[in-house]
């Protein structure tokens, strides 16, 4: 059974850095073709892709957010970490951890974690 | 990069059928699109991928046969037959494009399906 679960702060202040952790099970980031990433969804709005990291350490970022994002992996711990710098109230959203397989579909999603940005 | 356009809302009666549309921007008629279902207050789940014809690969885990897809031209369709109350929610389409530093993954705006 494949599961992904997001963890991190529910509230951050403007200008702070957000750090989110995805802990997954049922697959390994050491397997060829496997990628894990992040997608966010502001309340009542559309989904927005943020980043992927792959089994071979390849990283991909949303062009509009590239300068603020870093994605890393800890393969033995089955974890992926996303950091987003200089948080702003417009970054308030539910952040989802996702799996992507063999450069294909996003086939599994976590339950999401709501992050509020407020002073 | 492609732009995916979805009607903001759709409705269908219990037991009826509905077809949702995701339209790719011009020049992307060969793109594959993923469909996702998001029930109220839940995270999205993968339904299936569609290209220029039928489904690409396999359906997501536990997706019933009532769900099917078709691709034609710039349109990617998701059809739900014998609609159930549990089908109410938002339906999103998404697609990847490019390689290397030019890679992007884009989503449509989503369609809210109401079951009457």
């Amino acid at each position: 059974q494949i599961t992904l679960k997001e963890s991190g702060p529910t509230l951050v202040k403007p200008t702070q850095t957000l750090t989110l952790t995805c802990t997954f099970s049922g697959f390994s980031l050491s397997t060829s073709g496997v990628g894990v990433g992040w997608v966010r969804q502001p309340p009542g709005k559309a989904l927005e892709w943020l980043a992927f990291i792959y089994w071979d350490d390849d990283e991909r970022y949303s062009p509009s957010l590239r300068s603020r994002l870093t994605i890393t992996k800890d393969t033995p711990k089955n974890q992926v970490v996303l950091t987003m710098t200089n948080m702003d109230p417009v970054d308030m959203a539910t952040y989802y951890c996702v799996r992507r397989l063999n450069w294909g579909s996003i086939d599994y999603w976590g339950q999401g974690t709501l992050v509020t940005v407020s002073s | 990069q492609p732009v995916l356009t979805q009607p903001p809302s759709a409705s269908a009666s219990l037991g009826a059928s509905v077809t949702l549309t995701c339209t790719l921007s011009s020049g992307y008629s060969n793109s594959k699109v993923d469909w996702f279902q998001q029930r109220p207050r839940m995270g999205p789940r993968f339904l299936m991928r569609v290209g220029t014809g039928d489904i690409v690969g396999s359906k997501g885990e536990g997706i019933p046969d009532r769900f099917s897809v078709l691709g034609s031209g710039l349109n990617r369709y998701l059809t739900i037959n014998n609609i159930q109350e549990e089908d109410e929610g938002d339906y999103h389409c998404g697609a990847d494009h490019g390689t290397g530093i030019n890679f992007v993954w884009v989503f449509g705006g989503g369609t809210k399906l109401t079951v009457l």
Side-chain angles (χ1 to χ4, degrees):
Chain A
Q1 182 188 7
I2 290 173
T3 64
L4 304 100
K5 187 169 185 179
E6 307 84 354
S7 59
T10 57
L11 176 66
V12 297
K13 291 180 167 54
T15 75
Q16 285 188 335
T17 294
L18 171 68
T19 299
L20 294 173
T21 300
C22 172
T23 303
F24 55 86
S25 63
F27 67 96
S28 172
L29 254 177
S30 64
T31 302
S32 178
V34 173
V36 173
W38 293 88
V39 173
R40 71 178 180 179
Q41 185 177 35
K45 295 189 177 181
L47 299 168
E48 179 184 18
W49 168 70
L50 301 178
F52 284 123
I53 189 164
Y54 294 92
W55 88 103
D56 60 355
D57 296 325
D58 199 12
E59 300 167 25
R60 296 286 176 260
Y61 295 99
S62 165
S64 63
L65 293 167
R66 186 190 311 274
S67 63
R68 298 174 54 204
L69 296 174
T70 303
I71 190 168
T72 60
K73 63 184 178 71
D74 186 329
T75 302
K77 286 187 177 179
N78 283 348
Q79 289 183 332
V80 168
V81 174
L82 180 77
T83 60
M84 179 180 289
T85 61
N86 194 24
M87 291 292 285
D88 183 272
V90 300
D91 295 313
M92 176 176 171
T94 297
Y95 287 74
Y96 295 99
C97 178
V98 299
R99 186 185 85 156
R100 186 180 186 219
L101 196 60
N102 293 330
W103 303 275
S105 304
I106 291 175
D107 61 351
Y108 286 92
W109 296 68
Q111 64 190 24
T113 185
L114 176 62
V115 177
T116 301
V117 184
S118 175
S119 54
Chain B
Q1 67 187 50
V3 174
L4 307 182
T5 302
Q6 299 181 253
S9 64
S11 62
S13 299
L14 202 61
S17 296
V18 69
T19 295
L20 307 180
T21 304
C22 174
T23 303
L24 292 149
S25 51
S26 178
Y28 295 97
S29 59
N30 290 327
S31 292
K32 300 178 182 66
V33 157
D34 289 346
W35 281 98
F36 305 95
Q37 177 195 58
Q38 186 175 23
R39 291 171 171 157
R41 295 170 297 283
M42 293 183 66
R45 71 165 173 165
F46 171 66
L47 295 175
M48 66 196 83
R49 169 169 277 205
V50 57
T52 53
D54 206 340
I55 184 174
V56 177
S58 302
K59 290 183 179 180
E61 196 172 324
I63 304 304
D65 292 342
R66 303 185 291 105
F67 289 79
S68 63
V69 292
L70 188 64
S72 175
L74 292 172
N75 293 320
R76 304 292 180 264
Y77 303 104
L78 172 71
T79 297
I80 311 172
N81 294 316
N82 186 21
I83 289 178
Q84 304 297 301
E85 288 184 3
E86 67 205 40
D87 298 333
E88 185 163 281
D90 295 323
Y91 288 80
H92 308 274
C93 59
D96 62 296
H97 179 75
T99 58
I101 198 167
N102 297 315
F103 172 88
V104 291
W105 186 289
V106 295
F107 289 97
T111 296
K112 186 177 190 66
L113 174 65
T114 300
V115 178
L116 304 173

